[in-house]
Amino acid sequence: MSLKRAKGNKTKQSSSAEEEKKSDSISKQIKKQRKKNNNVGIIENKKKAKMQEFQREDAWKHLETIADLLVQSDPYNILNNEELSTLIQILENYERDPKEYYKEWFDEEYEYQFDETTQLKKPINFRSNLYNLNQFRKRVQYRYYWDIQAIIKDLHKLFGNIYMRCKNQQSYYYLSKVWEDAKPKIRSVIQKFSEQIKEEVHNILQLKTEYKISSKIWPVIPEKKEIRTYIEIQDYEPNPNEEPHISQIKEKLSSKKVPIKCKNDCVCFDLNRMGTFNYSEITWDSECPNRRNRIECKEHEGTDKTCLNMQIQLKQYLTNRINFGDNADVEETLCWGIDVYTRNVIMNILPLDYDEQQKNLFIEKLILAINRPNDKQRGYDMGLACDYIIKESRMISSYYNKDDRKMAKQIKRVIKLDGGGFRIHTKGCGLVCVNKFGIKTNSLIIPYLGEIYQPWRWYEKQDFIKKQMKEFNKKDILPDFYNIMLDKHPDEDDGMDILFVDPINKGNFSSRLSHSCNPNCGTVTTVSNGTYVIGMYAMRNIQYGEELTFDYCSFTESKQEQLQALCLCGSLNCRKYYLELSNQREYNAILDRNHCFIKRNAILFNACLDNIKIDESLFNKHKIRSSLLTACPFWLKSWISQLLKFIDEEYLIYKTELDTKFVLNEETQNWNLFTVQQHSEERIQNLIFTLDKIKFFLKQSDSVEPPLSKISNEDLIMNFWRINNSNDSLLQNDVYQLFQKFGLKKLMELITHISEKRHLYEIQEQLILTRLLFLVLSHLLLQQKHSFQYEGLSLMLQMMAFTYTYFKATEYKGFQSFPMEDLEWGKVGLIKKKCKVEGKIYSSLFVWGQLVGWYKQTVATPQISLSVDRRGTLLYPQICSFDISGEKQVSSLQDKCKTDYFQKQLEKRFNIIVGELNYKTNQKYFGTIFFEQIYSKELGSEFLDRALIYDKKDFNIKFKQFLKYEKIKFNHSSDKIYKLMDNFKNLIQVQLPKQKLNKKQMEEIKSEERHKEDQKENA
Ligand SMILES: [Zn+2]
Ligand SMILES: [Zn+2]
Ligand SMILES: [Zn+2]
């Protein structure tokens, strides 16, 4: 999913599964964007240089031979000589007027007999400056010729010019002979050229086709009914538009920032001096302190001049043609643009004597011509735009000059050969400047208004849209998006916060602006009169006919979606797509490694247990203050502080990785820094969105309980052992029944035996005894082959012997959210019916799911991903999973299990992949050896390997590990465990450490046990 952001923050949403929102503090985005672009530009140019070594030499080589042919036929070298007149004099002995001879020559003898297309259509312009062969050569060299006509015309001009200088018949006949000799050869050369030039055009058209809008239907001219309409509003409209949301949003929009009093000579009285927007600092580079601070003025020192930094509060908006007719500043109208491919084609066919800069400038002017308010309906026709330039360039003091004319003509010539590379595409309805005097830099265009959403509500809407797209089978279509993020300024007293503005249904003409990678407008979140408003400003002078654009700074996580978002801005630094790809693999690689699913659960569990000291300095550093922290229960704050810690850690790791990989110079270093900062900000944003959702949930559910809590020892015993004839104990039901089914009598007896014995012990010891039983069963299972998947069960029991921590999820009250207004234009042109739709349903496990999946907002039901992700990570498979043949199987579901650590271990140890492990369960407790390894840091990094040591024969090697980790985790003494181990003495021999127990001690233990047994019997 993608978002626009107001300088930046426009947001967009999209259909594809992997969406997420990245928003950003207003302009950081753009600054980054800018930096990014520059960098990309450099790399691109290098690539481009290589790309341009394509073969287009053949056709031109033929033309070069024309010059040689003419020289061969011209012993006096007249054609080639710049000092013509002296040479011609040598030949002159006759008296007749040469003009007459020329006429005769041309009219009668030398008319071309080529096919029609090669015939001259206009009389030769004798005032042409083409008067020697070198100039013709140059034109060949600069690739001026794309058709035979132009070549013939130039040869006529050349000869015509020289004939003009002939004063007698001798020179005239000489020239005629030269021409006559060369003509047939030239004819064949030209024909070869014409055959090959098409191929060369074809080659050029094959370049960079990946950036070509490839639609079979062209031109596409949107019909009126296909163009989005909007209801005009004068202020933000909260969604849902009712209390308490109205007040909440109002509160979030309010600012405590106060403007200072400006001096009476402040720059805010003059648009031209007011300064430009600084994208890297996200501030206006202005001498006006208020402007710099992105806050509108209020008072000034003793002057009644009009302050221009009050445009929002004074509603000094640009006027729209709909309301103001011919006096308007802007018009909502069809706009057109070119993709990167077309731009590339144009660059490649323009004459080589123009440098890159001149060509780029020309393309800028061409795009202006495309959108000049001449014939909007036929804006797709590049020929028309060229005609416009050719015509305009002949006017005095025109914006276009004769170079523009030459280039426009060049385009027209190639269009004739193949127009396929010169398509102009519609951007839909955009905004064009219709003020003859243009729009001045720093003018307010209009505030970017729309419906305004808190994050929880915004994502409800996204979920809904996604669902609709799916329903209407429009999943692969990239919908239009207009939404933009409104970030509060970081220097605000109550810290940062984010809202979403969406003008898709209700807004104003600011939502008409197209994207450009080199925009003339920009959005700036501004405090006006104590309230946040996103202002759309002219960032430079905009001339009559120019389309107004801004940089969407939008991101998507879906490559598929990006590919559909080809940019039509046509600017030099075009990024090719108007959606940036974010969340690249390398970035999430760190998350996967250092912040994996289990780790995220461990962090959450710790926060819920109140085990963590909150680091307030992190909140300050990231500007997370009261606006976000109000109504946060302690455990949630604790969780945030741990997340911030991770985000900072990740920042450092990522930076180091990039620097190791890419640092070549200062520029790359800055680029790395920018990349890392951007990602870090995305993380923070996601944290904010998650927080907002959780707060909303807790409020609706009327709870402040943490989502996870530890399972008491009593409950744990209940889960393992049958209590009160319950039917769902792990050992006495599930495991026992499996053994029964396959006739493992000894093991059944063991379970029964321990079940009886356990009552002799304290609850702690009962748990140790249970873990010992897991270990013993695991070992005994391996002693012989069985016809069920006994190896899997053995492994799982061994794991359980080393699993100490179990937790459960809080059962919150689920609820249904507020109804959603269907979007008439939810996906422009796709879904048009309008109705009220049921509100989103939140289930009990939403909080757990969302907190664990905090880094993405695109999952409508995070509890469902949770229940997939926890398989084999937080949860062991059901015993019935092993009630299958022991044959090795390969599962087609293997991919689905890639996060299933249990499967991985099984594969590692036995080279077995069990087809379908069953995780469907009503089990309410979670905990595995994998969770243990991450959660109980004291066990050390080798815990898993040591605990899972594999030996079919020797039990002691496992038992040693058991003792060790019981000691580390609970400080349980070996003595105690040896005593408990006595319960298994007939089945398994345990080597006792010789020095530890002497005979006397052994006697004591035995008598103690006897004593206990007596007591039991008596009872
Ligand atoms: Zn000022
Ligand atoms: Zn002012
Ligand atoms: Zn672009």
Side-chain angles (χ1 to χ4, degrees):
M1 146 150 223
S2 10
L3 302 173
K4 295 181 191 178
R5 347 190 139 143
K7 185 110 304 72
N9 21 334
K10 233 182 163 182
T11 323
K12 146 201 186 164
Q13 50 138 25
S14 81
S15 54
S16 59
E18 279 311 299
E19 323 137 71
E20 196 154 309
K21 138 191 349 30
K22 338 296 26 221
S23 46
D24 211 278
S25 66
I26 305 252
S27 323
K28 266 187 203 160
Q29 212 52 37
I30 284 222
K31 106 196 170 179
K32 297 171 170 179
Q33 215 59 28
R34 285 282 155 99
K35 284 190 191 162
K36 194 165 181 174
N37 294 343
N38 292 342
N39 213 296
V40 169
I42 291 162
I43 299 160
E44 273 307 304
N45 283 337
K46 280 179 195 159
K47 275 193 204 157
K48 213 193 284 172
K50 269 192 182 170
M51 285 286 279
Q52 278 179 346
E53 289 167 21
F54 57 86
Q55 299 299 313
R56 57 175 216 190
E57 297 303 318
D58 295 354
W60 309 95
K61 264 184 206 146
H62 288 296
L63 286 194
E64 275 163 25
T65 62
I66 290 185
D68 298 335
L69 288 172
L70 286 168
V71 169
Q72 279 168 26
S73 322
D74 172 22
Y76 287 96
N77 207 15
I78 287 180
L79 294 171
N80 219 4
N81 205 302
E82 289 184 33
E83 292 300 319
L84 262 185
S85 27
T86 43
L87 275 168
I88 288 176
Q89 269 170 22
I90 300 170
L91 302 165
E92 294 187 338
N93 289 322
Y94 285 72
E95 301 101 34
R96 284 173 66 182
D97 181 357
K99 278 182 191 168
E100 280 176 42
Y101 295 116
Y102 163 71
K103 201 166 178 278
E104 188 183 321
W105 170 79
F106 182 72
D107 289 348
E108 291 164 19
E109 293 186 53
Y110 297 100
E111 195 166 346
Y112 290 98
Q113 299 299 316
F114 293 156
D115 60 35
E116 273 189 22
T117 56
T118 63
Q119 280 186 27
L120 279 176
K121 286 176 180 166
K122 290 182 200 166
I124 297 163
N125 175 6
F126 291 112
R127 264 165 298 178
S128 154
N129 54 3
L130 194 72
Y131 57 82
N132 82 53
L133 204 48
N134 283 328
Q135 285 157 327
F136 175 77
R137 265 201 189 110
K138 258 192 189 140
R139 291 190 181 187
V140 174
Q141 191 192 338
Y142 293 146
R143 313 289 194 250
Y144 267 91
Y145 300 111
W146 294 83
D147 56 2
I148 301 176
Q149 248 185 41
I151 300 161
I152 291 168
K153 199 166 153 189
D154 270 3
L155 287 175
H156 279 136
K157 279 183 191 172
L158 174 65
F159 276 84
N161 263 324
I162 298 174
Y163 274 120
M164 285 286 283
R165 299 189 179 210
C166 293
K167 294 201 182 87
N168 61 36
Q169 219 150 20
Q170 189 174 339
S171 52
Y172 161 82
Y173 277 124
Y174 172 78
L175 268 184
S176 304
K177 188 167 183 320
V178 171
W179 176 243
E180 199 57 22
D181 287 353
K183 203 167 66 174
K185 296 173 197 163
I186 291 173
R187 197 178 288 155
S188 88
V189 168
I190 289 176
Q191 267 160 356
K192 276 182 201 154
F193 169 81
S194 83
E195 280 156 24
Q196 284 186 351
I197 194 70
K198 279 184 188 147
E199 202 180 318
E200 298 208 3
V201 170
H202 177 76
N203 286 341
I204 291 173
L205 297 188
Q206 293 311 304
L207 292 172
K208 294 198 179 183
T209 47
E210 68 267 40
Y211 307 123
K212 179 183 184 178
I213 292 188
S214 47
S215 58
K216 281 185 190 133
I217 310 159
W218 183 85
V220 177
I221 306 161
E223 284 178 44
K224 259 218 164 96
K225 60 172 188 191
E226 289 174 314
I227 292 172
R228 177 184 64 107
T229 53
Y230 55 81
I231 298 163
E232 191 154 345
I233 52 175
Q234 306 299 322
D235 204 349
Y236 292 120
E237 189 168 295
N239 184 311
N241 197 4
E242 52 196 62
E243 290 297 354
H245 314 292
I246 298 174
S247 309
Q248 285 168 3
I249 287 171
K250 215 170 178 181
E251 172 68 28
K252 287 193 177 193
L253 279 176
S254 72
S255 171
K256 298 198 178 63
K257 288 173 73 167
V258 182
I260 67 161
K261 201 182 234 185
C262 272
K263 301 216 168 76
N264 60 12
D265 59 349
C266 187
V267 294
C268 57
F269 298 111
D270 182 356
L271 281 183
N272 293 323
R273 290 168 59 216
M274 208 132 79
T276 55
F277 193 79
N278 180 332
Y279 290 95
S280 37
E281 305 293 323
I282 320 157
T283 173
W284 294 95
D285 276 341
S286 178
E287 284 169 43
C288 173
N290 294 327
R291 186 75 162 182
R292 198 164 54 233
N293 204 7
R294 289 187 284 163
I295 179 164
E296 286 204 331
C297 291
K298 195 133 199 194
E299 283 182 284
H300 298 81
E301 270 179 6
T303 174
D304 51 4
K305 285 186 282 186
T306 325
C307 167
L308 294 161
N309 185 34
M310 295 171 69
Q311 296 172 91
I312 295 175
Q313 50 192 298
L314 298 179
K315 296 194 186 299
Q316 291 170 341
Y317 309 156
L318 294 193
T319 54
N320 189 349
R321 182 159 270 179
I322 296 174
N323 304 322
F324 289 83
D326 289 345
N327 296 321
D329 301 305
V330 291
E331 179 179 20
E332 294 170 66
T333 177
L334 271 188
C335 286
W336 305 84
I338 57 171
D339 52 24
V340 168
Y341 163 80
T342 306
R343 186 178 210 286
N344 182 50
V345 170
I346 295 174
M347 289 297 276
N348 272 312
I349 58 106
L350 290 179
L352 296 186
D353 54 338
Y354 292 109
D355 60 27
E356 294 266 314
Q357 207 185 337
Q358 288 168 306
K359 293 182 192 176
N360 287 327
L361 183 66
F362 169 74
I363 292 180
E364 242 172 66
K365 290 172 157 188
L366 175 69
I367 289 167
L368 185 83
I370 289 168
N371 280 308
R372 272 276 162 108
N374 41 10
D375 188 350
K376 281 294 172 187
Q377 291 304 311
R378 291 185 59 204
Y380 57 83
D381 188 341
M382 194 168 299
L384 272 190
C386 291
D387 286 343
Y388 177 82
I389 293 174
I390 293 164
K391 192 181 99 211
E392 281 284 306
S393 66
R394 298 190 199 280
M395 314 259 197
I396 300 159
S397 74
S398 163
Y399 176 64
Y400 297 96
N401 58 35
K402 79 173 195 311
D403 288 326
D404 299 328
R405 181 166 65 238
K406 276 189 191 167
M407 291 193 252
K409 283 183 173 174
Q410 181 91 326
I411 292 177
K412 287 202 73 177
R413 278 180 212 127
V414 186
I415 289 178
K416 256 190 245 164
L417 287 178
D418 190 336
F422 300 89
R423 290 181 170 185
I424 299 174
H425 301 276
T426 181
K427 304 185 195 177
C429 188
L431 203 64
V432 167
C433 170
V434 290
N435 185 327
K436 294 273 177 199
F437 304 101
I439 297 164
K440 273 193 193 155
T441 179
N442 280 325
S443 306
L444 173 73
I445 308 296
I446 197 167
Y448 199 98
L449 293 182
E451 287 182 278
I452 192 158
Y453 297 75
Q454 298 181 73
W456 65 266
R457 182 62 170 172
W458 177 250
Y459 288 108
E460 282 185 355
K461 180 169 166 175
Q462 299 320 299
D463 296 342
F464 168 65
I465 290 171
K466 211 169 18 166
K467 214 172 99 196
Q468 272 203 334
M469 296 286 283
K470 211 169 162 185
E471 236 166 71
F472 288 84
N473 207 15
K474 304 284 188 193
K475 273 193 299 184
D476 301 331
I477 291 175
L478 178 69
D480 287 359
F481 59 95
Y482 304 91
N483 48 309
I484 196 164
M485 232 179 279
L486 187 157
D487 311 50
K488 291 178 86 162
H489 298 170
D491 60 346
E492 193 65 65
D493 279 353
D494 54 359
M496 61 187 302
D497 214 331
I498 301 173
L499 291 166
F500 291 88
V501 174
D502 189 1
I504 194 161
N505 287 329
K506 298 174 182 177
N508 59 30
F509 63 75
S510 64
S511 65
R512 291 286 194 216
L513 270 74
S514 307
H515 164 84
S516 171
C517 304
N518 180 25
N520 50 24
C521 296
T523 48
V524 180
T525 304
T526 304
V527 174
S528 166
N529 222 349
T531 304
Y532 278 96
V533 180
I534 297 173
M536 176 74 75
Y537 295 92
M539 292 298 182
R540 52 176 157 88
N541 288 330
I542 299 168
Q543 58 171 314
Y544 169 69
E546 200 177 340
E547 190 190 353
L548 277 66
T549 54
F550 79 111
D551 190 332
Y552 286 2
C553 293
S554 289
F555 284 78
T556 178
E557 290 177 3
S558 152
K559 182 78 195 164
Q560 192 55 37
E561 198 169 277
Q562 188 194 34
L563 294 178
Q564 294 181 62
L566 281 166
C567 185
L568 289 170
C569 80
S571 69
L572 170 61
N573 288 326
C574 182
R575 302 190 295 266
K576 301 179 178 106
Y577 307 101
Y578 58 84
L579 290 177
E580 292 284 320
L581 202 56
S582 73
N583 230 352
Q584 262 96 2
R585 191 172 299 160
E586 72 211 41
Y587 184 65
N588 269 339
I590 300 171
L591 186 135
D592 292 343
R593 220 163 48 230
N594 295 17
H595 192 67
C596 64
F597 176 74
I598 298 178
K599 184 79 182 274
R600 299 197 296 273
N601 276 285
I603 286 177
L604 179 60
F605 187 47
N606 261 325
C608 293
L609 293 186
D610 201 0
N611 271 347
I612 298 297
K613 212 175 152 260
I614 292 181
D615 185 351
E616 295 284 347
S617 70
L618 282 174
F619 288 116
N620 267 327
K621 178 182 168 189
H622 292 284
K623 316 277 190 260
I624 293 179
R625 304 202 181 113
S626 62
S627 187
L628 292 165
L629 295 176
T630 311
C632 271
F634 186 83
W635 61 266
L636 190 50
K637 284 184 196 162
S638 167
W639 177 80
I640 299 166
S641 98
Q642 287 192 81
L643 263 280
L644 291 173
K645 210 172 126 215
F646 160 72
I647 290 169
D648 282 356
E649 278 165 14
E650 188 190 38
Y651 178 97
L652 290 177
I653 299 170
Y654 193 27
K655 178 81 169 58
T656 314
E657 277 183 11
L658 285 185
D659 284 352
T660 324
K661 233 163 145 184
F662 296 118
V663 165
L664 304 163
N665 54 39
E666 200 184 330
E667 194 173 8
T668 6
Q669 200 162 3
N670 288 338
W671 165 235
N672 291 351
L673 189 65
F674 152 67
T675 310
V676 175
Q677 275 172 356
Q678 173 173 302
H679 268 303
S680 183
E681 275 168 35
E682 275 167 31
R683 294 291 195 221
I684 298 285
Q685 280 163 9
N686 278 298
L687 185 60
I688 292 173
F689 301 148
T690 292
L691 191 56
D692 194 68
K693 290 178 181 179
I694 299 298
K695 277 161 67 178
F696 170 71
F697 182 100
L698 293 175
K699 192 161 186 218
Q700 295 304 117
S701 179
D702 198 21
S703 171
V704 289
E705 287 294 298
L708 301 179
S709 57
K710 204 163 192 159
I711 290 200
S712 68
N713 289 342
E714 288 77 10
D715 285 349
L716 210 47
I717 285 291
M718 244 163 60
N719 284 317
F720 293 140
W721 298 101
R722 183 156 60 191
I723 313 279
N724 304 331
N725 294 324
S726 71
N727 257 336
D728 51 5
S729 78
L730 178 88
L731 282 160
Q732 272 167 295
N733 293 96
D734 302 349
V735 177
Y736 189 89
Q737 280 156 18
L738 183 70
F739 291 167
Q740 197 168 32
K741 183 171 172 186
F742 292 93
L744 278 60
K745 281 218 175 93
K746 253 193 181 172
L747 299 186
M748 288 158 64
E749 279 164 23
L750 179 61
I751 293 177
T752 313
H753 173 68
I754 300 296
S755 153
E756 283 158 10
K757 286 275 185 175
R758 71 180 174 89
H759 299 288
L760 299 175
Y761 303 99
E762 307 266 324
I763 190 112
Q764 272 281 0
E765 287 169 318
Q766 287 193 36
L767 285 171
I768 303 173
L769 188 67
T770 309
R771 286 195 289 269
L772 270 175
L773 175 62
F774 291 147
L775 195 65
V776 170
L777 286 174
S778 159
H779 187 75
L780 293 177
L781 270 173
L782 291 176
Q783 299 314 303
Q784 61 181 90
K785 283 196 185 327
H786 305 283
S787 56
F788 63 100
Q789 187 33 271
Y790 67 100
E791 290 159 315
L793 180 59
S794 164
L795 178 65
M796 177 176 138
L797 290 169
Q798 189 176 354
M799 288 174 174
M800 293 185 78
F802 294 91
T803 305
Y804 315 108
T805 312
Y806 293 92
F807 60 90
K808 62 177 187 219
T810 303
E811 305 247 350
Y812 296 101
K813 207 162 65 202
F815 59 91
Q816 181 161 26
S817 187
F818 308 89
M820 180 81 49
E821 187 94 348
D822 198 352
L823 310 162
E824 192 173 358
W825 287 103
K827 309 286 157 183
V828 169
L830 300 179
I831 297 165
K832 290 190 182 172
K833 57 174 189 143
K834 193 164 180 155
C835 59
K836 276 227 167 178
V837 186
E838 299 271 282
K840 171 170 170 154
I841 293 169
Y842 288 83
S843 86
S844 163
L845 289 180
F846 177 84
V847 174
W848 184 13
Q850 179 63 50
L851 287 169
V852 165
W854 66 274
Y855 56 94
K856 53 186 176 192
Q857 308 306 322
T858 49
V859 184
T861 44
Q863 61 273 21
I864 290 176
S865 330
L866 176 74
S867 78
V868 174
D869 287 344
R870 68 191 179 200
R871 295 174 186 175
T873 52
L874 302 180
L875 202 57
Y876 290 122
Q878 291 296 288
I879 301 298
C880 61
S881 305
F882 306 109
D883 184 2
I884 49 169
S885 137
E887 296 282 301
K888 288 179 186 177
Q889 327 184 4
V890 175
S891 165
S892 58
L893 301 169
Q894 204 175 335
D895 268 0
K896 279 191 180 167
C897 310
K898 60 182 176 223
T899 54
D900 185 333
Y901 286 88
F902 181 79
Q903 277 280 20
K904 278 187 190 160
Q905 287 291 333
L906 198 61
E907 198 181 346
K908 191 171 147 194
R909 174 175 297 185
F910 301 109
N911 195 21
I912 291 174
I913 295 160
V914 176
E916 292 188 27
L917 289 177
N918 188 351
Y919 288 99
K920 276 188 192 136
T921 173
N922 295 323
Q923 186 180 312
K924 295 283 171 16
Y925 62 101
F926 301 91
T928 58
I929 194 169
F930 313 109
F931 181 77
E932 203 67 59
Q933 187 194 19
I934 286 173
Y935 175 72
S936 302
K937 293 198 184 79
E938 67 274 20
L939 300 173
S941 60
E942 289 176 330
F943 166 66
L944 190 66
D945 285 340
R946 294 201 170 148
L948 293 187
I949 197 150
Y950 179 51
D951 194 312
K952 259 163 118 168
K953 296 202 179 103
D954 187 1
F955 180 75
N956 281 284
I957 190 165
K958 300 173 198 166
F959 185 61
K960 230 171 92 190
Q961 298 301 331
F962 186 88
L963 290 176
K964 176 177 157 193
Y965 288 113
E966 288 287 326
K967 176 91 185 157
I968 299 176
K969 181 71 197 173
F970 300 110
N971 207 17
H972 290 153
S973 73
S974 304
D975 294 357
K976 190 193 260 179
I977 294 166
Y978 275 112
K979 276 188 253 170
L980 291 166
M981 196 59 206
D982 279 352
N983 291 301
F984 303 94
K985 61 189 163 202
N986 297 328
L987 291 159
I988 292 227
Q989 293 308 314
V990 182
Q991 283 168 14
L992 301 183
K994 281 162 200 161
Q995 74 281 20
K996 272 197 175 166
L997 293 175
N998 55 34
K999 247 188 176 173
K1000 200 181 158 199
Q1001 284 170 317
M1002 291 285 278
E1003 282 305 315
E1004 278 170 17
I1005 292 167
K1006 279 184 184 164
S1007 79
E1008 205 175 280
E1009 247 169 45
R1010 271 194 297 275
H1011 183 65
K1012 268 187 192 167
E1013 266 170 37
D1014 292 347
Q1015 273 185 331
K1016 199 189 159 199
E1017 272 164 32
N1018 295 340

